[in-house]
Amino acid sequence: MKLVSYSCAADSGNRAGALLSHLDETGMHRDTVVDLRRAYALYLSDVSGDPFADGIAAVRIPADLTQFIIGGMRSREAAKQALGYVEDALARHRHAPLVESRVLLPLESVRLLAPIARPGKIVAIGANYAGHIKEGRSTGVLGELPAYPVAFLKMSSAVVGPDEAIVRSRHTQELDYEIELSMVIGKRCRDVAAENWRDVVAGFTIVNDVSMRDLIVEEKPTGVVFQGKNLDATCPLGPCIVTEDEIADPGALDIRLRVNGETRQSDNTCNMIFSCGQIIAYWSSRLTLEPGDIVTTGTTSGVAGFNRRFPERLLKHGDVVEAEIDGIGVLRNPVADEAAAHTEALPRSA
């Protein structure tokens, strides 16, 4: 499943959904969002005639995806049954009732949000691709690295969702991008063995670890990098969470990042130095990981870089950044200067 958090004009508050592509009654391809709570209530009502279907659905499929993840196997099974019910109804050409009951919504009619709006913590892995390490060393910013997956923390207040603006703060002149495959933690855990990492990961998403290179250089002599990774609206996250069972090998995914349609980063996760299992094993031995936490896996080469290495690549007002990972989708965000950051969200691409 591709789980999403969304809002729309017809409903108050955010809701939990799943992305679904299908053929409509006219044979046209449609990208839609399935409202999982409503779909599960219909499933319970139709299959068993349960008079408490709405209440059960509200418990099993909460609006907040962190709470959904905390619901564990029961919530996941409920969502699978809901999605299967919708797919079966579509196969029987029952498209209209699903639309009328707002179970099925056209993708263009909703606003996708960051699937985890406020992660408890974002453990951001650095220096996990040889190409990116080479870029850092060529400018003197990176030296010898320890033999473990180095990391820093990104603040949840930096998170923005699909089509929301990445803010170019007045405090930086060197705004840069970094696409990263990221894991969403599914259960509270500590000391997870590398071979058991899938047991604690609910799914995968995309993080664009937007970085303020000039601030990082200023902070490096202190030994603490904080501002350069955590200014407001510098952590796009989404567009969805792909459940763990749908990514057979997270170490074999093509990743790419485009700015204004130009490819800037392109690689495959097979080139990660530390695997997902190694990352989870190391950091769960140091930290308690909790449901909804995000653990990234580092970025590849192609960034603008430190000390204005490629000044023409630095992000500026009006740029559009698209971070794409096979099997997950495209995380698309405009860039806006701080004074203009409250303009309307970017229209959805076709």
Side-chain angles (χ1 to χ4, degrees):
M1 286 182 293
K2 290 186 173 182
L3 300 170
V4 296
S5 179
Y6 79 93
S7 65
C8 67
D11 290 303
S12 60
N14 303 339
R15 299 185 69 85
L19 297 178
L20 179 65
S21 294
H22 64 92
L23 297 178
D24 67 13
E25 292 175 320
T26 68
M28 295 290 291
H29 178 83
R30 300 293 181 190
D31 291 323
T32 56
V33 171
V34 174
D35 186 291
L36 289 173
R37 180 183 293 183
R38 291 191 180 108
Y40 189 55
L42 274 182
Y43 164 80
L44 292 174
S45 180
D46 283 1
V47 170
S48 62
D50 196 317
F52 302 110
D54 288 342
I56 294 170
V59 171
R60 287 284 175 255
I61 305 181
D64 181 78
L65 283 184
T66 298
Q67 293 302 309
F68 174 89
I69 290 169
I70 290 171
M73 184 59 70
R74 289 185 177 88
S75 288
R76 289 195 298 274
E77 284 302 312
K80 287 180 180 178
Q81 290 171 328
L83 197 57
Y85 174 86
V86 170
E87 290 173 330
D88 181 65
L90 291 172
R92 291 186 285 116
H93 306 291
R94 294 183 58 200
H95 178 272
L98 296 176
V99 173
E100 291 167 4
S101 59
R102 300 209 310 280
V103 167
L104 198 66
L105 301 101
L107 182 57
E108 62 272 15
S109 72
V110 308
R111 179 188 175 194
L112 295 185
L113 310 168
I116 305 293
R118 286 291 180 265
K121 52 185 171 290
I122 304 170
V123 181
I125 304 301
N128 200 28
Y129 286 79
H132 188 55
I133 294 171
K134 183 178 179 180
E135 288 176 331
R137 285 179 173 160
S138 68
T139 55
V141 175
L142 284 182
E144 289 304 312
L145 294 167
Y148 65 84
V150 296
F152 53 89
L153 285 175
K154 286 185 78 78
M155 305 293 288
S156 63
S157 55
V159 170
V160 292
D163 294 324
E164 287 189 78
I166 297 166
V167 176
R168 183 177 179 271
S169 167
R170 66 186 186 277
H171 298 297
T172 184
Q173 298 299 313
E174 297 184 21
L175 196 68
D176 206 351
Y177 48 82
E178 295 188 12
I179 183 173
E180 307 201 16
L181 172 70
S182 301
M183 297 174 279
V184 182
I185 300 301
K187 61 177 68 172
R188 194 172 190 272
C189 60
R190 185 74 194 269
D191 292 318
V192 179
E195 62 269 23
N196 297 329
W197 71 272
R198 282 185 178 270
D199 295 343
V200 304
V201 170
F204 301 90
T205 191
I206 302 171
V207 164
N208 184 355
D209 175 25
V210 175
S211 303
M212 286 56 69
R213 301 297 186 197
D214 46 355
L215 298 186
I216 292 173
V217 170
E218 288 179 11
E219 291 179 298
K220 272 287 183 180
T222 71
V224 177
V225 173
F226 183 73
Q227 295 181 64
K229 290 289 189 177
N230 281 295
L231 297 188
D232 288 349
T234 57
C235 185
L237 190 157
C240 62
I241 298 171
V242 178
T243 51
E244 172 273 331
D245 58 301
E246 294 206 0
I247 302 290
D249 184 0
L253 302 175
D254 286 334
I255 64 174
R256 61 196 71 86
L257 182 140
R258 298 177 293 273
V259 179
N260 302 329
E262 176 191 14
T263 299
R264 300 281 183 84
Q265 293 183 282
S266 181
D267 209 326
N268 188 283
T269 54
C270 68
N271 292 315
M272 292 191 300
I273 296 169
F274 296 99
S275 68
C276 291
Q278 290 170 315
I279 291 168
I280 293 294
Y282 182 85
W283 283 106
S284 71
S285 74
R286 268 69 177 176
L287 309 171
T288 297
L289 300 176
E290 299 176 303
D293 285 352
I294 306 294
V295 181
T296 77
T297 61
T299 198
T300 185
S301 60
V303 299
F306 295 95
N307 301 325
R308 294 182 175 269
R309 185 166 185 248
F310 295 106
E312 71 279 4
R313 295 184 189 172
L314 291 167
L315 296 175
K316 62 184 183 303
H317 179 82
D319 284 346
V320 177
V321 185
E322 295 173 299
E324 181 176 12
I325 299 180
D326 286 355
I328 300 178
V330 178
L331 175 60
R332 184 171 179 258
N333 299 89
V335 178
D337 284 342
E338 188 172 8
H342 300 295
T343 56
E344 292 185 7
L346 195 68
R348 186 179 309 283
S349 58

